[in-house]
Amino acid sequence: MDLKSVKKLDAEDPLAEKRKEFFLPKEKIYLDGNSLGSLTLVAKRRAIEVVDKQWGNDLIASWNLHNWIDLPVNIGEKIAPLIGAKQGQTICCDSVSVNLFKLLSCALTLNSERQTILSTRDNFPTDLYIAEGIQRLLGDGRCHLDLVERHEISARLESRPAVLLLTQTDFRTGELFDIGELTRQAHANGTLVVWDLSHSVGVLPLELDKWKVDFAVGCSYKFLNGGPGAPAFLYVAKRHIKNCEQPISGWMGHKAPFKFEKDYKASDGIAKFLSGTPPILSMSMLDAALASFKNIDMNQLRAKSIQLTELFLLLLEENGSLEQLQLCSPSDANTRGSQLAFSHPKGFGICQALAAKQVIADFRSPDLLRFGFSPLHLRFEDIWHSTRAIKEVLEEGMYLLPAFNKRLKVT
Ligand SMILES: *Cc1c(COP(=O)(O)O)cnc(C)c1O
């Protein structure tokens, strides 16, 4: 396919205007929105306003004056439509890791006659580390982590675990789990589900209420563009909220935090899942960034995401790069998220050499070159240029130079 036909795709793209809402460095092609989303212009303005006017000038009055105190709930309600949740079930707080600790603890308590958390060996490490931490804390008799391969889940559910803990979009390959189907199978065995939506939210149409999901967590600094270290979110189905006692029972989850009562009384609603004081600077930027998802049709966004990844593969195929890069993501676009991974023994060097050509991807140990596709701001033209850069890097062989192979702390 030639550049002219690719540009035609941009001309026909119903989401093309969205790009104008982002601050994007002119020379870079950013294919890492699945790791750290890009800066939106509204978030940039909001950061300055919150620092200068709200914190700087209005100081402590801002908790009421600018509604800082309601940010966790208000942001939760902005994320809710993106995950198919009705009101009162989603809240923004802490990191994915901390929220998993809260929700796994609740799920184990709700299913207290059982002990096992079932998950996959290739789950995102923090999800498993947190489950192991709960196992150490409670002892193996109260919490036992059982890890299987992806294809073994359905059969293993028949051993009736307490909780099924899965990440919908595999962080390496982008391979998807069918949330609706696995949740149904789990429930048929009396198992509760905790879904991690970190690489899903903001690019995939999600229907947590319809799928009868019990609990979910997700990340806001990836496709939601919340900013580095922006707080995560959690979802608890309405039917479970009143029965949950979350273990990090800090004052922000109290019914009346500013009564400073001696005893802990959990808030009635989703606010009971809060713990400490919200990080207002981060939350404000996330709150602003979510404006770019207002009135977005998630099916349309998904369609563009698929178009982007399919074009990327087609152009790499046409220019011969796939003779050296081996696709590790599913070849069927419907069974992968908005990312593509390729293995290559020198994947790290290739990633660095691409960065030198202003194409930003990332590397996942041991040998995966990973590209993320943010449909809100990527153009089809960017795909054309980045696949050319890949071909050049592979042909020039510069990725073999020691300068491109110095390992960094963050990859
Ligand atoms: C990014 C990511 C996380 C991040 O966890 P934090 O505790 O917020 O740092 C967790 N799980 C998955 C699947 C992720 O992709």
Side-chain angles (χ1 to χ4, degrees):
M1 194 186 273
D2 59 7
L3 181 56
K4 200 168 149 230
S5 324
V6 170
K7 283 188 167 173
K8 193 157 166 270
L9 294 176
D10 282 317
E12 291 162 356
D13 173 12
L15 293 166
E17 289 294 298
K18 278 275 151 191
R19 182 176 171 85
K20 294 188 181 140
E21 296 176 15
F22 288 82
F23 175 93
L24 297 165
K26 281 222 162 42
E27 69 288 2
K28 285 195 176 77
I29 298 179
Y30 193 62
L31 301 179
D32 211 3
N34 57 322
S35 213
L36 174 66
S38 294
L39 175 63
T40 56
L41 296 173
V42 277
K44 190 163 181 263
R45 279 198 302 275
R46 178 77 77 85
I48 294 166
E49 183 192 318
V50 173
V51 171
D52 280 357
K53 185 177 175 334
Q54 300 185 2
W55 178 22
N57 202 63
D58 298 332
L59 287 159
I60 199 160
S62 297
W63 285 103
N64 293 308
L65 191 60
H66 302 297
N67 257 335
W68 284 357
I69 196 68
D70 294 326
L71 274 174
V73 170
N74 291 344
I75 294 173
E77 293 308 348
K78 286 187 185 179
I79 294 173
L82 302 179
I83 59 174
K86 288 207 191 66
Q87 276 203 320
Q89 306 175 101
T90 315
I91 199 159
C92 176
C93 53
D94 304 307
S95 57
V96 170
S97 306
V98 171
N99 289 333
L100 279 170
F101 181 85
K102 298 176 200 171
L103 299 187
L104 285 172
S105 303
C106 287
L108 282 171
T109 309
L110 287 179
N111 234 346
S112 61
E113 70 287 4
R114 304 181 184 192
Q115 305 78 34
T116 303
I117 298 177
L118 176 61
S119 192
T120 50
R121 274 186 208 107
D122 63 0
N123 201 346
F124 192 85
T126 205
D127 298 50
L128 302 183
Y129 299 159
I130 293 291
E132 285 165 11
I134 297 175
Q135 182 172 338
R136 280 193 299 276
L137 181 72
L138 299 182
D140 200 49
R142 239 345 255 117
C143 173
H144 173 77
L145 181 60
D146 183 18
L147 297 179
V148 297
E149 298 302 320
R150 300 172 69 92
H151 65 272
E152 294 170 331
I153 298 169
S154 299
R156 191 64 137 245
L157 278 169
E158 287 168 21
S159 70
R160 303 174 72 78
V163 190
L164 176 64
L165 165 66
L166 292 176
T167 296
Q168 184 196 17
T169 308
D170 183 274
F171 75 104
R172 293 189 184 89
T173 65
E175 184 171 357
L176 294 178
F177 277 125
D178 182 338
I179 298 187
E181 175 55 21
L182 281 162
T183 299
R184 196 192 57 73
Q185 289 178 20
H187 287 171
N189 289 289
T191 302
L192 293 165
V193 295
V194 179
W195 283 99
D196 185 336
L197 306 172
S198 291
H199 276 88
S200 307
V201 65
V203 277
L204 291 171
L206 297 166
E207 296 287 351
L208 298 195
D209 285 350
K210 194 175 117 193
W211 295 329
K212 301 194 165 55
V213 165
D214 303 291
F215 302 96
V217 293
C219 195
S220 76
Y221 53 77
K222 292 172 178 158
F223 289 115
L224 291 184
N225 310 309
F233 66 89
L234 62 81
Y235 161 94
V236 180
K238 195 145 224 150
R239 62 187 176 279
H240 293 312
I241 294 177
K242 62 177 183 313
N243 303 322
C244 283
E245 263 185 39
Q246 69 106 342
I248 312 181
S249 44
W251 70 315
M252 286 293 149
H254 194 281
K255 208 179 200 111
F258 288 90
K259 280 195 177 158
F260 299 97
E261 287 172 358
K262 289 237 166 12
D263 299 323
Y264 183 79
K265 278 197 219 89
S267 173
D268 291 326
I270 190 75
K272 68 158 61 164
F273 290 90
L274 297 179
S275 297
T277 307
I280 298 303
L281 297 183
S282 284
M283 275 200 188
S284 299
M285 292 188 80
L286 168 59
D287 182 57
L290 288 170
S292 54
F293 286 92
K294 215 175 159 197
N295 304 323
I296 284 280
D297 173 351
M298 288 309 291
N299 291 309
Q300 194 175 56
L301 199 65
R302 171 68 170 152
K304 179 171 175 188
S305 147
I306 289 179
Q307 243 186 320
L308 288 167
T309 55
E310 289 287 82
L311 179 65
F312 192 84
L313 285 173
L314 173 74
L315 294 176
L316 286 182
E317 169 89 66
E318 284 181 358
N319 75 21
S321 300
L322 291 188
E323 282 156 33
Q324 292 185 60
L325 296 176
Q326 197 191 334
L327 180 67
C328 295
S329 302
S331 52
D332 174 4
N334 292 310
T335 60
R336 65 174 187 244
S338 203
Q339 65 202 67
L340 289 171
F342 303 87
S343 69
H344 189 288
K346 293 284 175 191
F348 184 84
I350 295 173
C351 187
Q352 297 299 311
L354 276 173
K357 287 185 184 286
Q358 307 283 10
V359 174
I360 312 301
D362 66 20
F363 170 78
R364 285 293 171 263
S365 192
D367 65 353
L368 279 190
L369 188 57
R370 193 176 67 155
F371 300 91
F373 300 84
S374 290
L376 281 180
H377 61 71
L378 276 176
R379 294 170 303 195
F380 293 98
E381 189 185 334
D382 296 325
I383 302 304
W384 197 80
H385 291 297
S386 55
T387 51
R388 299 269 295 196
I390 291 168
K391 175 184 159 71
E392 285 168 20
V393 162
L394 292 173
E395 279 176 356
E396 291 162 0
M398 293 220 297
Y399 62 86
L400 295 166
L401 295 176
F404 290 123
N405 285 282
K406 270 200 234 88
R407 295 295 166 114
L408 306 167
K409 202 163 177 180
V410 177
T411 59

